[in-house]
Amino acid sequence: MDMDLSNFFDEVNHRRLMSRIMEKTWGEWQLHRLIDRYLKAGIMEGGVLEPRSKGTPQGSPLSPLLSNIVLDELDKELEKRGHKFVRYADDCNVYVKTRRSGERAYASLTRFLEGKMRLKVNKEKSKVGWPGRLKFLGFSFYWKKGGVGICVSRESYRRFKRELKRLFRQGRGRNIGRFITEQLNPHLRGWLNYYRIADMKGIAEELDEWIRRRLRVVMWRQWKRRWTRRLRLMAGGLSEERAVQSSFNDRGPWWNSGASHMNEAFPKKYFRHLGLESLLDRYLIYRKQ
């Protein structure tokens, strides 16, 4: 069961939060006054200072700490009920044995969050389902021999490909080598470093192939003239006859990027020479550590 709180940082109740803080720090009046003033600091909208009656300032390093103080009450409630759960900030997954139990727990926890804690549950994003179909911080789960495995969620995988497509559009007019080292590689390293704990050998290999094909699309678009394409393919080792046939076909960039002439002229080792990092190679290194 995936519980998602709607606009959590904007809905934190100041009175309940200050009550929790004062329970743990009794007598620290200066601290209480400082936090209270921090919470009530106004919001500048259209040049006008609007007072704040609830919520915590987003972007501040103190807000996650205060929010965890609020949600500690939820953790204690889940522990009291004997549920297995995992929570990070306002994202929480609760694990029960059956779907029926999940639906009962969902209804009960919704009443607790909205009634007692005065928070709003996002009913569109919250759902009851098998863990493999849900996600937590971009991860999902699957059954494997010997237990449960961690994988990249489908939504996270699709979102990453959308981000890369946007990046490739930005790189159309750039030198392909500089684009790889300055823009693409940092993006790939950051994504893999986050998901390195997941079982993703197949995904990494698939993404590597897809990324090389996208780079070939960029290259094909940059060679706007057919004769330029002919020369580039010949420089890649193709015969003149085959280079001419390939350059003068009426297919689009995506088809040509996956065709044999582009794969043979610009194979994996070509992009490795340009400095392209392989997600699969880096992933396998991480798994050995």
Side-chain angles (χ1 to χ4, degrees), residues 5-248:
L5 299 176
S6 179
N7 299 319
F8 170 70
F9 287 95
D10 296 329
E11 296 294 332
V12 172
N13 185 278
H14 288 178
R15 184 174 297 178
R16 286 184 60 80
L17 173 56
M18 290 306 303
S19 175
R20 299 285 294 178
I21 291 173
M22 286 188 282
E23 285 178 10
K24 299 294 183 180
T25 58
W26 182 255
E28 299 287 343
W29 307 115
Q30 291 292 339
L31 176 64
H32 300 161
R33 187 179 296 111
L34 182 63
I35 295 175
D36 186 60
R37 291 180 64 182
Y38 165 80
L39 290 172
K40 293 179 179 178
I43 307 171
M44 188 70 71
E45 292 186 359
V48 179
L49 187 65
E50 297 287 342
R52 183 196 299 272
S53 59
K54 61 181 180 178
T56 60
Q58 294 196 37
S60 168
L62 185 58
S63 290
L65 174 61
L66 296 177
S67 301
N68 269 329
I69 292 173
V70 173
L71 290 174
D72 182 65
E73 187 175 355
L74 173 62
D75 296 343
K76 295 294 189 293
E77 179 68 19
L78 290 170
E79 289 172 357
K80 186 173 72 175
R81 297 184 183 193
H83 289 316
K84 294 181 179 180
F85 69 95
V86 57
R87 181 182 68 79
Y88 183 85
D90 59 334
D91 196 357
C92 180
N93 277 13
V94 182
Y95 304 103
V96 293
K97 291 183 178 180
T98 65
R99 183 178 185 86
R100 191 171 180 180
S101 299
E103 290 170 351
R104 286 199 302 267
Y106 173 76
S108 177
L109 287 172
T110 298
R111 290 194 297 269
F112 175 79
L113 287 164
E114 296 185 339
K116 186 175 181 180
M117 295 188 65
R118 301 179 188 177
L119 299 171
K120 292 182 180 179
V121 175
N122 189 329
K123 294 181 174 60
E124 292 182 2
K125 293 185 177 180
S126 300
K127 62 190 73 173
V128 178
W130 180 64
R133 296 185 179 276
L134 302 178
K135 64 181 180 64
F136 182 72
L137 303 178
F139 294 91
S140 190
F141 308 94
Y142 70 99
W143 291 109
K144 68 176 183 179
K145 186 177 181 180
V148 177
I150 304 174
C151 61
V152 180
S153 72
R154 296 176 184 176
E155 182 180 331
S156 300
Y157 177 67
R158 289 194 291 264
R159 183 170 61 246
F160 181 57
K161 290 185 77 171
R162 287 197 299 270
E163 292 173 0
L164 289 180
K165 285 181 181 179
R166 175 187 54 79
L167 201 65
F168 284 123
R169 284 195 293 271
Q170 295 176 359
R172 286 179 183 175
R174 294 202 58 190
N175 174 276
I176 197 75
R178 287 200 296 272
F179 167 72
I180 287 173
T181 56
E182 295 175 9
Q183 289 184 262
L184 184 57
N185 279 346
H187 212 78
L188 299 179
R189 284 195 296 268
W191 188 80
L192 187 62
N193 283 339
Y194 181 80
Y195 288 103
R196 61 191 292 180
I197 64 171
D199 298 328
M200 53 177 291
K201 181 179 178 181
I203 286 180
E205 188 172 10
E206 182 180 322
L207 278 171
D208 277 345
E209 293 176 1
W210 183 82
I211 288 166
R212 290 194 295 270
R213 185 168 182 179
R214 278 285 164 185
L215 288 169
R216 294 187 190 104
V217 169
V218 173
M219 295 163 64
W220 189 265
R221 288 182 182 276
Q222 288 179 346
W223 309 330
K224 298 178 181 179
R225 299 169 184 260
R226 299 185 183 213
W227 290 105
T228 303
R229 291 169 180 168
R230 164 184 165 272
L231 292 174
R232 296 289 187 178
L233 290 173
M234 289 176 62
L238 270 61
S239 66
E240 183 175 3
E241 180 182 358
R242 191 174 177 204
V244 170
Q245 290 176 348
S246 302
S247 301
F248 283 79

Side-chain angles (χ1 to χ4, degrees), residues 245-261:
Q245 290 176 348
S246 302
S247 301
F248 283 79
N249 70 63
D250 293 324
R251 302 278 190 165
W254 180 249
W255 184 90
N256 277 284
S257 67
S260 59
H261 53 269

